[in-house]
């Protein structure tokens, strides 16, 4: 059984920063990718970015490119989503997910998901 746990959500002022964490199981696949998705009320789940665990290579959606950064800490088995220069449109429930092999922007390809963490940006 593989389950991811997101944390770090909360209320932040527009222009501010938040860092989300996604804790991976201590034992997991040797080759996999972790994706970040978000879902605002009444809207569909959108791709934010992904990272290849072994290489650290990351890919981002155009809407967050230049503002968000995905990284990982191997020792802590944790993937981070650093969000800077936050905007009101970033308000959503954020999810991390994992799949074997390479990353994808298609949520349907991810096999394991976290429970989500709420991020609210205020003006």
């Amino acid at each position: 059984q593989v389950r991811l746990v997101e944390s770090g959500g909360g209320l932040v002022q527009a222009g501010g920063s938040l860092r989300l964490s996604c804790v991976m199981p201590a034992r997991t696949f040797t080759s996999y990718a972790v994706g970040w998705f978000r879902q605002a009320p009444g809207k569909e789940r959108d791709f934010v970015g992904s990272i290849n665990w072994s290489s650290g290579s990351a890919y981002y959606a155009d809407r967050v490119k230049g503002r968000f950064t995905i990284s990982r800490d191997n020792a802590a088995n944790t993937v981070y989503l650093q969000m800077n220069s936050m905007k009101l449109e970033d308000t959503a429930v954020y999810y991390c997910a994992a799949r074997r092999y390479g990353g994808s922007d298609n949520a349907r390809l991810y096999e394991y998901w976290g429970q989500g963490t709420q991020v609210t940006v205020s003006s």
Side-chain angles (χ1 to χ4, degrees):
Q1 183 179 3
V2 178
R3 190 179 75 173
L4 286 64
V5 180
E6 311 99 326
S7 64
L11 179 66
V12 64
Q13 196 85 4
S17 299
L18 272 181
R19 188 181 73 168
L20 305 184
S21 299
C22 177
V23 179
M24 308 295 295
R27 181 180 180 180
T28 187
F29 300 106
T30 57
S31 179
Y32 64 96
V34 177
W36 285 95
F37 296 82
R38 65 187 185 185
Q39 187 168 21
K43 300 181 180 179
E44 295 185 348
R45 189 166 299 183
D46 291 328
F47 173 75
V48 176
S50 64
I51 186 170
N52 180 277
W53 181 263
S54 60
S55 70
S57 299
Y59 174 81
Y60 303 95
D62 289 340
R63 288 183 178 270
V64 305
K65 192 176 300 181
R67 297 190 298 119
F68 291 9
T69 302
I70 301 174
S71 61
R72 85 271 196 255
D73 184 332
N74 292 346
N77 292 318
T78 302
V79 173
Y80 301 101
L81 176 63
Q82 178 67 45
M83 303 182 289
N84 299 326
S85 302
M86 298 193 71
K87 306 175 180 179
L88 266 59
E89 67 186 51
D90 295 324
T91 295
V93 176
Y94 283 70
Y95 300 88
C96 63
R99 68 182 300 267
R100 285 166 288 185
Y101 312 117
S104 173
D105 61 355
N106 187 351
R108 300 169 77 178
L109 298 180
Y110 287 81
E111 300 158 292
Y112 311 101
W113 291 82
Q115 83 289 346
T117 184
Q118 176 70 49
V119 173
T120 303
V121 183
S122 66
S123 60

